[in-house]
Structures are given as C-alpha cells and as structure tokens.
Amino acid sequence: MTFANQAVFPITADSNDKDHLTLGGIDVLDLVAEYGSPLYVYDEKTLRGMCRTFIDEFTSRYRNTKVLYASKAFVNPAIARLVTEEGLGMDVVSGGEVAVAVTGGADASNLYFHGNNKTPEELDYSLDEHVGRIVIDSFHELNLLGQKAKDRGVVQDVMLRLSPSVDPHTHVMTTTGILDSKFGFSIETGDAARAIREVLQTPSLDLVGIHFHLGSPIFELEPYAIAVDAILTYLEPFKSDGLNLREFSPGGGFAIGYLRDRLPPDVASYAEVIATTMKTRCSDLGFGEPTLVVEPGRSIVGRAGVALYTVGAIKDIPTVRKYVSLDGGMGDNIRPALYDAAYEALVANRVSAVSTETVTLAGKYCESGDLLAKDIDMPVVESGDLIAMPASGAYSPSMASVYNLNPRPAMVMVNEGKAKVIRRRETFADLMALDVA
Ligand SMILES: *Cc1c(COP(=O)(O)O)cnc(C)c1O
C-alpha cells in the first residue's frame, strides 16, 4: 500500500488492513495506546540507512571521507550509540553534547567541537576528555584555547571555521556562511588570513584543517561547489606560511523532504559535486588528498522521525479558517513558529482518506503563532483522530521546551515490529525536579 505523501515518511512507512499507518512494522495507534500522545517515533531502518548512504556515497567518490553526525539535529545516548555503531564520528556544539556523545559510546577522538562562543569551562572539559578536534571560531577562542593547551603542556588539534561569503539561499535565520554572520572568520574582512597565521604560530595548537558551513537546509548543489572551490583557492598561498591541509570540511546542511513536491537532491548528488570539486581543485592546487569531513545532521535523523498527535478541539470560522487543535505544538516543534517551516500531515487512523478541505493544525500552547501547519489540505478530521507529521526527527525534539509546563513527549525507536523507548515521557515531577521551594 502506498499513500500520497509517503516520500516524506520513513522508508518503512506503510498502512495495514485497518487503514492505519505503520512504522517499522508497528501500527502507530498501538504505539500511542502504549506510550501516550504526543509521541515521537524514530524508524531505525531509516536512521541506519541514512548513515550508510552517507558513508557509501561519499567514500565511493572520495575514498578519504569522514562522516560526522551533527548532534544538534537531535542526540541522546541511544542516537549517539546508533551513529557510533554505524561508524560515524560526531559534531558537537556544547559541553552537554560532548557528555551525551561520550555516554553513548562515542570515542572522544572522533568528536569535532563547533560553536561561536565555547565557554572556558567547555574548553577545559574538551581538553580533559581529549576531544579530537576543536573548531576555532573567533580570536577570543584562539587565544584562550592556545593558552589552556600551553598551560597543560599539550598540543590540541584544531580546525578554523572560515566564512566564505556564499549564500546557499535558505532561510535567513539558518544561513551561516555569509559576511553578516556571527559564525567564523570572514575571508572578506581579512580576519581569516590573520587567524590562519596566528594559529600556525601557536605551538600548542596544530592546525589540522579548515572548515566552513553554509547553512541549512540547502536544496541546491551549486553553493557547495562554489564554496569548496573558493576556499581551497583562497588557502593555496598559505602553504608558504606552513599550512598543511590534512582535513577539509564543507560542513552539513543537506536538505530533506518536508513537502512531497519539494524533495531535495539525493545524497549521491551532493557527494558527487563535493567530491568532484575537492578532487579537481586539490589536485590543481597541490593539496594532495586531504580528508573530507562532512557533517550531516538533519539528513540523518529528519526523515526517520514522525510526530504523532491527537486531535482535540476543532474551531471552524466560516469563510475564514478551520483550526484543528493538536495535543502538542511549539513546545515539541518550534520550527514553524521560528522559521515558517512547512510540514505535511496524515490522518494516521485513516491513511487512505482523501483530502477534501484546507485546515490549519494548531498546537495547544498559549501563543497565536503556535501553528504546526498552516492551510494544509486534509481529509475531514474529527476529535480523537491521530495525526502523523513526517520529517519531524531533526531540530524538533532538540529544540523542545517545557513552555506552559507541558511535559515533553516520549520517544520510541521502532524496527521489525519491535519498539523500544529511547526517552520516556516527562512527568510533572520532572518539571519541578530542579526547582527549590
Ligand atoms: C548545524 C551544523 C551542521 C549540520 O547541519 P544539518 O543541516 O543538520 O546537516 C553541520 N556542521 C555545523 C558546523 C553546524 O553548525
């Protein structure tokens, strides 16, 4: 059985003889009966499949590729364990992500620590844990880390994050590689040149390579080619300053399908354009074959996750709008409110129902902007229906809040007819666990 928007659901998504959505071979109504609503479901086959696809598509075109999972898309110990089992390293952006990665079994030497303002405590913790690479983002950090490593008598492997002034044409809130960005050393202003020379003259830091990240999600291939070419070309003269480019990273940002009529290029296409540009330009410029470090986040977990919500109140304002209220919202998925993110939805208990009206799926939070999907075509839904929102695995749970003190949903991982809880539902006691009366 297939349904209209199946391409944005996990690869195991199907429907059963009750016309219910199944994920990993399990009826999602059974999952909600057991684990409650709302519920986040991760499909293990999609997750592992994406890890393997990235490794295969990149290494088959550029042998010396390292794939890192960008943890901020969503990480907990179970996810860290899974990506580690699949052979990925991890991109982390906080002390907390370092702790979760290590708890999940990641080897600290495979961690790349990013961020525009790592705290002194985070840098100390990274040095304590022997984090593999620290990606320096500012002169402040360069000096601080250089001093800390020197005080400990160690040499820390580092990369520099450069900002190439390339616009990947995504949402302004998720664009990072342009001049007016808080991230990275700008090539345009001369900061990049100064930073490269300063690191090369800091004995406690070993400049292993160069990193950039354009933004996310990037539906076009060309920005990668332009930026890889521009930065490699820019770096060539620094060889005479002692730059030995052993690693090169074009970051992440690979898009996923949120809407059936806006599907991204496949991983092979991203790999092709990056690998080809790398090979050609590194050879032209005499850089040998540095390790290519790619950092997919959204594209690893996004499609694997499905959010399940139960319909409650329905408010029809004739000739204006019909609001269908769900039992979750901006607390578990802030993306629509934050960057106008658009989603598909499916009535999970009537998969084959045909769309006949336009409705707005609203959340339960006390904000008028708490809308999960505005003006989408749906079958007529009733209170009690179960709504599945696909492509919910990335940047929804990881940005979740307890606004209005709604406990955050449970998460289960499904595979071959079995479900395991990877995060239990938050309780009222959890909500008060840190508070002192
Ligand atoms: C966020 C981020 C990524 C991952 O981006 P995705 O869109 O999730 O692939 C990779 N690298 C860096 C430095 C990032 O900040």
Side-chain angles (χ1 to χ4, degrees), residues 70-73 91 93 114-115 161 176 183 211-213 215-218 224 249 251-255 295-300 394-395:
S71 310
K72 74 176 189 286
D91 151 348
V93 294
H114 293 274
R161 175 167 180 165
T176 61
F183 295 105
H211 164 87
F212 70 89
H213 174 71
S216 177
I218 303 172
Y224 288 100
S249 175
F254 313 107
E295 303 173 331
R298 185 191 313 274
S299 45
I300 298 285
Y395 299 107

Side-chain angles (χ1 to χ4, degrees), residues 260-273:
R260 73 189 87 166
D261 57 6
R262 197 177 181 223
L263 299 178
D266 55 14
V267 177
S269 305
Y270 288 109
E272 182 66 27
V273 72

Side-chain angles (χ1 to χ4, degrees), residues 20 38 41 43 56 70 100 138 157 165-166 169 173 212 219 248 265 278 311 324 352 359 369 372 405 416 421:
H20 294 173
V41 183
D43 178 53
D56 293 348
V100 169
S138 68
D157 287 341
S165 298
V166 171
H169 308 127
M173 296 297 282
F212 70 89
F219 281 82
F248 187 80
M278 275 290 282
V311 175
V324 172
S352 63
V359 302
L372 284 171
L405 297 183
E416 309 236 322
V421 176

